[in-house]
Amino acid sequence: MEPDGASRHRERAPKRRVPVAAPPRMSDPHPLFDDTSSAGGGGAPPGRGYGVPPPATSRYPPPASFLGEPVSSLAVAYGSSLASQGRDIMDRNIDRLVPVGRLKYYFAVDTVYVGRKLGLLVFPFMHQDWQVRYQQDAPVAPRFDVNAPDLYIPVMAFITYVLVAGLALGTQNRFSPDSLGLQASSALAWLIVEVLAILLSLYLVTVNTDLTTIDLIAFSGYKYVGMIVGLVSGLLFGKTGYYMVLGWCCISIFVFMIRTLRLKILSEAAAEGVLVRGAKNQLRMYLTMTIAAVQPLFMYWLTYHLIR
């Protein structure tokens, strides 16, 4: 038995509480706020807060990628379809106003054709066959037939005429940009008036022909070749050379237009076997001669003031 003093000393001694070890904290994979307590302290890296994208090493793509790729591909497909539809509509409207495919035919030329055509325009008297050749009910390209109309020579002759007119004005100290534009605009305006007058005349005479508006522009534009030759002769030899060469070119274009257009305008009458009989055929002949006779008048009107 213990003595009473020892028992009393044990009863009075304070009770010491042993601290209980705290349970291990479980790391929250998605804390509400970022853990910044160890920032810069060398501890564990801060936690990933709400709304922060996953690290680059994550095996799962971000949620927006599931919607981004289908939407972008759909937008690309929709834009491509709109572009193709707009291109088709534009092509149809352009073909309706300006037959681009038809224009390619009139520019299908080569060097040999251009040389032969220029010789035919200046010396048409020895040429015998004026018929345009056809292949499968379509006229052959101009580079294969010198009688076929083209737009290459008229376009280039028009541009060359404007340049030669500027040269002629420059030799007389009368050149200015305004005068050069006036020459180009007046020549183009007279060409449009001429073509419209021919179309109206063909409509009034009720001529069934395969002549198109582009054909008339081509035939009316051939006179610029003679105008260029006349102007160059005037610059080299004065007024005498101008009148002589221009007179020859006027006769040549008159013969060329007569022999070319009579096969076009009188094609219906030729198919019927009647060329000059009847009032209607007489009107066609007069119309052909009028179109041919107008060419020398325009050639003189557009060039006489450039030679002094």
Side-chain angles (χ1 to χ4, degrees):
M1 293 182 61
E2 296 179 359
D4 294 337
S7 62
R8 285 195 302 267
H9 177 74
R10 202 170 38 243
E11 289 177 358
R12 292 178 182 178
K15 295 181 179 182
R16 299 178 61 184
R17 295 182 180 181
V18 180
V20 180
R25 295 180 59 186
M26 299 181 65
S27 60
D28 188 2
H30 301 287
L32 184 60
F33 300 98
D34 291 341
D35 185 7
T36 60
S37 59
S38 61
R48 181 167 50 88
Y50 178 78
V52 179
T57 58
S58 177
R59 56 183 295 185
Y60 300 104
S65 63
F66 292 99
L67 296 177
E69 294 182 0
V71 170
S72 61
S73 60
L74 180 61
V76 171
Y78 184 69
S80 301
S81 63
L82 284 181
S84 61
Q85 292 177 3
R87 184 170 58 253
D88 294 340
I89 294 174
M90 183 178 295
D91 292 341
R92 287 196 300 267
N93 292 332
I94 291 177
D95 290 337
R96 184 174 59 184
L97 298 177
V98 180
V100 179
R102 184 66 175 168
L103 287 177
K104 293 180 181 179
Y105 163 82
Y106 291 92
F107 286 94
V109 300
D110 55 8
T111 306
V112 177
Y113 168 82
V114 172
R116 294 180 59 191
K117 193 74 170 187
L118 293 177
L120 183 61
L121 291 172
V122 181
F123 303 100
F125 309 102
M126 303 302 295
H127 192 65
Q128 299 296 329
D129 185 15
W130 294 86
Q131 290 283 352
V132 177
R133 292 185 295 173
Y134 284 80
Q135 183 178 6
Q136 297 180 354
D137 297 334
V140 299
R143 63 175 176 266
F144 301 119
D145 185 11
V146 71
N147 297 321
D150 71 283
L151 284 178
Y152 177 81
I153 293 178
V155 170
M156 297 305 295
F158 178 84
I159 298 174
T160 307
Y161 159 74
V162 175
L163 296 178
V164 174
L167 178 62
L169 293 174
T171 57
Q172 304 166 20
N173 296 325
R174 295 190 296 152
F175 175 80
S176 66
D178 295 337
S179 63
L180 194 64
L182 181 61
Q183 295 295 324
S185 60
S186 61
L188 183 61
W190 281 115
L191 178 64
I192 295 175
V193 170
E194 179 186 353
V195 172
L196 293 178
I198 295 174
L199 290 174
L200 180 60
S201 301
L202 293 175
Y203 174 76
L204 295 177
V205 182
T206 63
V207 176
N208 294 326
T209 178
D210 57 352
L211 278 174
T212 62
T213 305
I214 303 178
D215 292 336
L216 295 177
I217 294 175
F219 288 128
S220 300
Y222 285 140
K223 62 176 172 286
Y224 293 114
V225 175
M227 294 164 56
I228 295 170
V229 177
L231 284 176
V232 174
S233 301
L235 292 175
L236 296 177
F237 307 106
K239 280 191 174 183
T240 303
Y242 164 76
Y243 283 114
M244 291 181 61
V245 175
L246 185 66
W248 175 270
C249 293
C250 289
I251 296 174
S252 300
I253 197 66
F254 178 81
V255 174
F256 174 83
M257 296 293 286
I258 286 288
R259 294 186 177 181
T260 302
L261 293 180
R262 68 183 179 89
L263 299 177
K264 301 288 186 179
I265 297 179
L266 298 177
S267 59
E268 182 183 4
E272 297 174 356
V274 182
L275 291 178
V276 294
R277 295 179 182 177
K280 190 173 183 179
N281 292 334
Q282 291 289 341
L283 288 176
R284 293 172 179 174
M285 287 295 300
Y286 293 150
L287 178 60
T288 304
M289 296 184 65
T290 302
I291 296 173
V294 166
Q295 306 305 312
L297 297 178
F298 280 116
M299 294 172 65
Y300 177 74
W301 175 259
L302 294 173
T303 57
Y304 81 96
H305 62 283
L306 299 174
I307 300 298
R308 287 187 179 179

